[in-house]
C-alpha cells in the first residue's frame, strides 16, 4: 500500500514537471512574443516569468512600506566594520578624557573653579576610605547660578555641590579635581536661573560619618540644600533610571478673575453668549464673580472720583474704562533719573484743562490704577472657582495629542502625543505679601517646549472667560489654535520620579528614593528660597497681570475661542488644515502671540520646560 502511495506521488510530480515544460516551450514563448495580426499587443497577458518578477517587486514594495522607509532595518543588517565606523569609540573617548585629566594635573590646563587642589603631600597623607555608590537628593534656588551642569569657568549648582563634598571629606583629596572619578551623574539639567525643589545626582561618596549630610550643608550656600543621601545599587544612574517628572506652576488667584467689562474680550464674551444662545449657561459659569467688577468700582474707584472737582470728573471717568484692566507698573525714568508720566499725560491730555487741572487728572488716573491693583491683590478665590479649575486641569490627564501646546508640531506628528499622569491644584491657596497664590502640580512622563505654560494659560483663559472647559478636548483634534504661553516666572521642577527603581529597591530590601519624607524641609526651603524670589519679582514687574491684560485688550478675533463662539469665532483657528495652510497658520500665530507674550524666543529656549 505504501508503494502505491509513493507511485501516485511520483506520477503527480511528473505531471507538474510536464505542465511547467509547456509554459517554457518555444512555441508558447513565440506565441506571446509574436501575437497574431488581429491581436493588440498591449492587451496580451505577460509571460509567467515577467508576471513573477512583477509580483515579487510588488511584494518587495509592500514589505518596504510595512517596515518603514528603506524597507529592512539596515542597522540590524549592518556589518561589523560599518557598525564600528558608525558608532562612537567609547574607549577612544575615555582616553581623551584621561589625557585632559593628566594635563590638568600637570598644570597644562587652567584649574576649574569647582576643583579643590591639594599638594601631593596632602594627597599621600590622606587615609584611604571606602566609597559607596549613593543617591543624593537636593534642592536649590537657581538665582545667581549659570544652571545645574558643571562648568569650568562659571558658577553652577553642581560646582558648589562638588566643592562641598570635598570640603566635607565625602570625596577624597585625590579625587578633588575631577568629578568623573566619583562617577558624578545628574538626573535633570536645569538652565540659568531655574529653580528645583527636588533633583537627584548619583556618585561614589565616602559616607562613614553619620552626620555627613549636615556637614555637606554647612559647606553650601543657603540656596542649595541636600535633603538626604541613600545607598544605591552599583549600576544606578540618576539619569537613566528616571521615569518621569513633577513640575509646579505658581499663579496668582486674581488671574482667574473675568476681564474688566471695558475690555474688548469682555464685551465679546457677552456678545457671543447672546449670539449662540449660551447666556444662561455663561452666567451660571460666572456666578461667583458676576458682580466683582461692579463692587470693585463702587468700593475702590468711585470714592476717588467723588473727591475730584466737578470740572475734571468727566475726564477721569472717561479714562476709568481704559485703565480698568491695566496693572500698575513701575514708572519709567528719564535720563536725569526723574520719573516721567508720558503715558498718563498722552492718554488724558486735553486742551480745555489748565496745566494744574491736567496734573490733577493724571494723579487721579494713577490712583485709580493703584486701586485696581490693590483690589486684585485682595481677591480671594471661592471654592466654586477652584473646583472649576481642577475640572479643567483633569481634562489633560491621559495620553493626548498636545500639538497645539508646543511649537513646530503638527497633528500627525506622533511625538506630540504625551502622557500626563496627574494635573491639579496641589493644596489650599496661600497668601504671600497680600496676594493669594495657587500651586498647580503636573506629573508627566515627558514634556515638550512651552507645553506646561500653554496648558496653564488655556485653563486660565477658559475659566476667567466663562467658557465651556470641554474646549480643551477640542484642542486635541486636527485644528490649529493659537494658545499663548503663561509667564515662565512661576514654573519650577518639583521632583523627578523613580517608580521603576523603587519597585526593584523594595524587592531587594533597599531604601527607597522618596522625597516625601523630606516634605516639611522642602516646603520651608521653597517658601524661603524659591517662592519669595518669585513673589518679589511678580510684585515688581506684574508679569501675570500684564500678560492677561494684553489678551483682554487685543482687538482681534484671535482669542475668541475662549468665548461661547468656540473655535468658529477664532479667525486664527484652522480646521483640517492642509500642509500649506498649517505653515501659514503657524507663522500668523507666532506673530500674534509675540504681541501678547513678554518673553523672546531666545529667553524661552534658555528658560523653558523639560524639552519644554
Amino acid at each position: 500500500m505504501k508503494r502505491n502511495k509513493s507511485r501516485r506521488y511520483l506520477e503527480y510530480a511528473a505531471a507538474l514537471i510536464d505542465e511547467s515544460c509547456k509554459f517554457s516551450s518555444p512555441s508558447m514563448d513565440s506565441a506571446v512574443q509574436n501575437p497574431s495580426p488581429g491581436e493588440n499587443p498591449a492587451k496580451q497577458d505577460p509571460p509567467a516569468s515577467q508576471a513573477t518578477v512583477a509580483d515579487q517587486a510588488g511584494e518587495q514594495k509592500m514589505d518596504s512600506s510595512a517596515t518603514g522607509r528603506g524597507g529592512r532595518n539596515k542597522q540590524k543588517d549592518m556589518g561589523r566594520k560599518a557598525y564600528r565606523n558608525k558608532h562612537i569609540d567609547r574607549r577612544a573617548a575615555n582616553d581623551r578624557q584621561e589625557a585632559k585629566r593628566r594635563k590638568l594635573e600637570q598644570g597644562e590646563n587652567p584649574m576649574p573653579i569647582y576643583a579643590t587642589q591639594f599638594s601631593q603631600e596632602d594627597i599621600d597623607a590622606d587615609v584611604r576610605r571606602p566609597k559607596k555608590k549613593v543617591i543624593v537628593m537636593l534642592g536649590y534656588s537657581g538665582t545667581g547660578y549659570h544652571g545645574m551642569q558643571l562648568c569650568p569657568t562659571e558658577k553652577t549648582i553642581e560646582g558648589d555641590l562638588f566643592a562641598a563634598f570635598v570640603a566635607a571629606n565625602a570625596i577624597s583629596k585625590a579625587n578633588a579635581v575631577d568629578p568623573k572619578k566619583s562617577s558624578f551623574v545628574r538626573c535633570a539639567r536645569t538652565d540659568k536661573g531655574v529653580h528645583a525643589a527636588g533633583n537627584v545626582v548619583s556618585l561614589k561618596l565616602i559616607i562613614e560619618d553619620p552626620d555627613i549630610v549636615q556637614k555637606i550643608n554647612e559647606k553650601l550656600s543657603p540656596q542649595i540644600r541636600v535633603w538626604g543621601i541613600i545607598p544605591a545599587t552599583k549600576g544606578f544612574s540618576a539619569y537613566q533610571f528616571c521615569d518621569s517628572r513633577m513640575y509646579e506652576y505658581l499663579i496668582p488667584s486674581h488671574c482667574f478673575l473675568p476681564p474688566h467689562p471695558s475690555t474688548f474680550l469682555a464685551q465679546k464674551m457677552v456678545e457671543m453668549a447672546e449670539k449662540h444662545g449660551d447666556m444662561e449657561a455663561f452666567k451660571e459659569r460666572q456666578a461667583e464673580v458676576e458682580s466683582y467688577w461692579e463692587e470693585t468700582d463702587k468700593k475702590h474707584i468711585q470714592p476717588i472720583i467723588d473727591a475730584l472737582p466737578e470740572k475734571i470728573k468727566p475726564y477721569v471717568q472717561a479714562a476709568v474704562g481704559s485703565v480698568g484692566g491695566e496693572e500698575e507698573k513701575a514708572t519709567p525714568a528719564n535720563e536725569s533719573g526723574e520719573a516721567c508720566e508720558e503715558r498718563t499725560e498722552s492718554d488724558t491730555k486735553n486742551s480745555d484743562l489748565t496745566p494744574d487741572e491736567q496734573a490733577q487728572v493724571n494723579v487721579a488716573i494713577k490712583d485709580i490704577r493703584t486701586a485696581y491693583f490693590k483690589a486684585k491683590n485682595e481677591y480671594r478665590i471661592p471654592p466654586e472657582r477652584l473646583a472649576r479649575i481642577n475640572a479643567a486641569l483633569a481634562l489633560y490627564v491621559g495620553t493626548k495629542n498636545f500639538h497645539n501646546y508646543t511649537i513646530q508640531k503638527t497633528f500627525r506628528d506622533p511625538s506630540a502625543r504625551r502622557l500626563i499622569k496627574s494635573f491639579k491644584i496641589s493644596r489650599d491657596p496661600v497668601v504671600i505679601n497680600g496676594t493669594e497664590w495657587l500651586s498647580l502640580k503636573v506629573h508627566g512622563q515627558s514634556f515638550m517646549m512651552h507645553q506646561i505654560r500653554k496648558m496653564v494659560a488655556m485653563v486660565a483663559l477658559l475659566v476667567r472667560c466663562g467658557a465651556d472647559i470641554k474646549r480643551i478636548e477640542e484642542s486635541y483634534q486636527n485644528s490649529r489654535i493659537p494658545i499663548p504661553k503663561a509667564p515662565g516666572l512661576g514654573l519650577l521642577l518639583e521632583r523627578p520620579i523613580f517608580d521603576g527603581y523603587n519597585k526593584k529597591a523594595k524587592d531587594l530590601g533597599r531604601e527607597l528614593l522618596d522625597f516625601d519624607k523630606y516634605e516639611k524641609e522642602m516646603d520651608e526651603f521653597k517658601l524661603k528660597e524659591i517662592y519669595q524670589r518669585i513673589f518679589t519679582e511678580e510684585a515688581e514687574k506684574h508679569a501675570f497681570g500684564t500678560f492677561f491684560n494684553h489678551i483682554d485688550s487685543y482687538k482681534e478675533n484671535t482669542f475668541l475661542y475662549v468665548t461661547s463662539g468656540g473655535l468658529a469665532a477664532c479667525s486664527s483657528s484652522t480646521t483640517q488644515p492642509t500642509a500649506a495652510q498649517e505653515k501659514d497658520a503657524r507663522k500668523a500665530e507666532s506673530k500674534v502671540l509675540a504681541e501678547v507674550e513678554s518673553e523672546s524666543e531666545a529667553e524661552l529656549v534658555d528658560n523653558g520646560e523639560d524639552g519644554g
Side-chain angles (χ1 to χ4, degrees):
M1 189 171 182
K2 290 183 178 179
R3 290 181 180 178
N4 293 336
K5 191 173 182 180
S6 299
R7 182 179 296 174
R8 286 198 299 271
Y9 279 129
L10 290 173
E11 290 174 354
Y12 179 73
L16 289 176
I17 293 172
D18 291 339
E19 189 72 11
S20 63
C21 290
K22 290 180 182 180
F23 282 101
S24 61
S25 64
S27 59
M28 178 64 73
D29 292 342
S30 61
V32 172
Q33 295 172 5
N34 302 304
S36 60
E39 291 179 321
N40 186 354
K43 294 183 179 180
Q44 294 294 321
D45 293 330
S49 59
Q50 294 180 13
T52 303
V53 172
D55 292 342
Q56 290 175 351
E59 291 174 1
Q60 290 178 358
K61 187 174 181 180
M62 290 177 64
D63 291 342
S64 175
S65 62
T67 57
R69 183 178 295 180
R72 300 166 63 188
N73 189 335
K74 295 181 180 179
Q75 189 169 355
K76 290 184 178 179
D77 297 336
M78 191 182 298
R80 185 177 300 174
K81 184 176 180 181
Y83 181 86
R84 287 177 177 173
N85 291 337
K86 180 179 177 65
H87 290 266
I88 299 172
D89 188 343
R90 298 293 180 186
R91 181 172 295 178
N94 291 337
D95 290 343
R96 287 193 294 270
Q97 290 293 336
E98 182 65 18
K100 289 182 181 179
R101 184 188 62 79
R102 286 196 298 268
K103 286 183 179 181
L104 184 63
E105 292 178 348
Q106 295 169 6
E108 297 180 23
N109 286 343
M111 184 71 66
I113 63 172
Y114 56 77
T116 305
Q117 193 170 19
F118 294 94
S119 65
Q120 190 60 44
E121 291 78 7
D122 291 336
I123 294 174
D124 294 339
D126 193 20
V127 178
R128 292 178 62 88
R129 291 173 293 167
K131 298 182 293 185
K132 288 186 178 181
K133 188 67 169 289
V134 297
I135 299 168
V136 180
M137 291 176 279
L138 69 150
Y140 52 85
S141 168
T143 303
Y145 286 89
H146 286 256
M148 169 73 173
Q149 190 171 354
L150 282 166
C151 179
T153 59
E154 301 287 354
K155 183 180 180 182
T156 65
I157 301 295
E158 286 183 352
D160 279 14
L161 189 64
F162 181 74
F165 288 155
V166 174
N169 295 320
I171 291 179
S172 65
K173 295 177 180 178
N175 297 334
V177 173
D178 188 3
K180 288 186 173 61
K181 288 185 176 181
S182 300
S183 304
F184 198 109
V185 178
R186 77 193 64 84
C187 168
R189 181 182 67 85
T190 54
D191 293 323
K192 179 180 178 181
V194 176
H195 317 298
N199 207 342
V200 169
V201 297
S202 59
L203 74 164
K204 296 177 182 178
L205 288 182
I206 302 167
I207 55 172
E208 295 175 331
D209 190 340
D211 299 324
I212 189 64
V213 172
Q214 179 182 346
K215 291 182 178 180
I216 292 172
N217 281 329
E218 289 174 355
K219 305 297 182 181
L220 287 169
S221 160
Q223 286 184 236
I224 307 174
R225 291 292 90 182
V226 172
W227 307 126
I229 298 176
I230 61 175
T233 58
K234 291 183 179 180
F236 179 83
S237 167
Y239 176 75
Q240 295 177 350
F241 280 61
C242 180
D243 297 320
S244 57
R245 293 179 181 180
M246 180 86 73
Y247 279 88
E248 181 176 22
Y249 192 90
L250 298 173
I251 183 170
S253 63
H254 64 68
C255 293
F256 296 94
L257 281 170
H260 191 273
S262 64
T263 61
F264 175 82
L265 184 57
Q267 294 169 5
K268 285 293 183 180
M269 285 161 45
V270 177
E271 178 186 325
M272 289 294 175
E274 292 176 346
K275 180 179 179 180
H276 294 274
D278 190 42
M279 182 58 72
E280 185 177 348
F282 169 74
K283 287 184 176 181
E284 183 179 350
R285 292 189 290 263
Q286 297 286 69
E288 64 273 10
V289 292
E290 184 178 9
S291 60
Y292 172 81
W293 287 113
E294 182 181 352
E295 294 174 357
T296 297
D297 289 344
K298 184 177 180 180
K299 179 181 178 181
H300 296 279
I301 308 304
Q302 195 60 43
I304 297 175
I305 296 176
D306 291 342
L308 297 173
E310 290 297 329
K311 183 179 179 180
I312 67 174
K313 276 185 181 181
Y315 300 100
V316 176
Q317 288 173 330
V320 168
S322 64
V323 301
E326 295 184 6
E327 293 290 330
E328 182 194 27
K329 298 183 180 180
T331 305
N334 56 25
E335 294 180 359
S336 63
E338 297 176 354
C340 57
E341 301 287 346
E342 294 178 0
R343 182 180 177 188
T344 303
E345 291 179 4
S346 63
D347 289 345
T348 61
K349 191 172 182 180
N350 194 294
S351 58
D352 296 336
L353 299 177
T354 65
D356 290 341
E357 291 171 338
Q358 182 66 59
Q360 284 183 294
V361 171
N362 294 336
V363 170
I365 292 175
K366 186 176 180 181
D367 290 343
I368 289 173
R369 286 197 177 105
T370 303
Y372 275 125
F373 174 69
K374 181 181 178 182
K376 285 186 177 182
N377 283 350
E378 292 176 353
Y379 174 71
R380 300 296 177 258
I381 193 166
E384 297 85 357
R385 209 73 167 168
L386 291 174
R388 185 166 164 76
I389 295 170
N390 267 330
L393 294 174
L395 296 178
Y396 289 127
V397 176
T399 301
K400 313 288 185 181
N401 191 330
F402 289 100
H403 68 103
N404 275 315
Y405 294 85
T406 185
I407 59 174
Q408 299 177 347
K409 296 283 185 185
T410 64
F411 173 76
R412 298 172 185 84
D413 192 335
S415 66
R417 295 184 64 82
R418 299 297 168 111
L419 171 62
I420 303 298
K421 297 186 176 183
S422 66
F423 203 168
K424 59 184 178 181
I425 300 173
S426 64
R427 58 170 178 263
D428 294 336
V430 295
V431 178
I432 305 295
N433 298 332
T435 301
E436 185 180 59
W437 290 76
L438 304 182
S439 171
L440 314 181
K441 288 192 179 180
V442 54
H443 179 197
Q445 198 171 52
S446 61
F447 296 95
M448 298 176 288
M449 182 175 288
H450 311 326
Q451 181 181 344
I452 297 174
R453 293 165 59 189
K454 283 178 176 280
M455 292 163 73
V456 171
M458 184 66 158
V459 169
L461 289 172
L462 291 174
V463 171
R464 70 196 298 268
C465 294
D468 189 347
I469 60 175
K470 294 295 181 66
R471 200 68 35 81
I472 292 174
E473 295 179 339
E474 297 176 25
S475 69
Y476 305 141
Q477 305 305 317
N478 191 11
S479 299
R480 193 72 196 173
I481 306 174
I483 303 175
K485 47 188 173 290
L489 173 66
L491 184 66
L492 69 144
L493 173 62
E494 174 70 17
R495 68 183 67 179
I497 308 296
F498 292 84
D499 289 336
Y501 172 79
N502 282 339
K503 184 178 180 181
K504 293 181 180 179
K506 186 176 181 181
D507 294 340
L508 296 173
R510 289 183 171 272
E511 188 173 355
L512 303 184
L513 201 170
D514 185 12
F515 281 97
D516 289 341
K517 54 189 173 184
Y518 308 110
E519 186 174 4
K520 182 180 178 181
E521 295 91 333
M522 290 174 68
D523 286 344
E524 292 176 355
F525 176 80
K526 285 191 292 185
L527 183 61
K528 181 180 179 181
E529 297 293 339
I530 298 178
Y531 291 166
Q532 283 296 345
R533 298 176 191 275
I534 294 175
F535 302 148
T536 301
E537 186 173 348
E538 170 61 16
E540 294 173 353
K541 299 182 179 179
H542 308 304
F544 287 97
T546 302
F547 168 74
F548 286 107
N549 183 60
H550 283 169
I551 294 175
D552 296 346
S553 305
Y554 192 75
K555 295 184 178 180
E556 298 290 343
N557 295 338
T558 306
F559 304 111
L560 296 190
Y561 58 85
V562 298
T563 68
S564 300
L567 300 184
C570 173
S571 59
S572 299
S573 65
T574 309
T575 305
Q576 301 290 334
T578 63
Q581 287 175 330
E582 194 158 15
K583 184 177 180 181
D584 293 340
R586 282 200 299 269
K587 288 182 179 179
E589 177 183 326
S590 299
K591 184 178 180 180
V592 169
L593 295 181
E595 297 182 33
V596 299
E597 294 167 349
S598 59
E599 297 163 323
S600 67
E601 197 66 27
E603 290 173 328
L604 294 170
V605 171
D606 291 339
N607 203 14
E609 296 89 342
D610 170 29

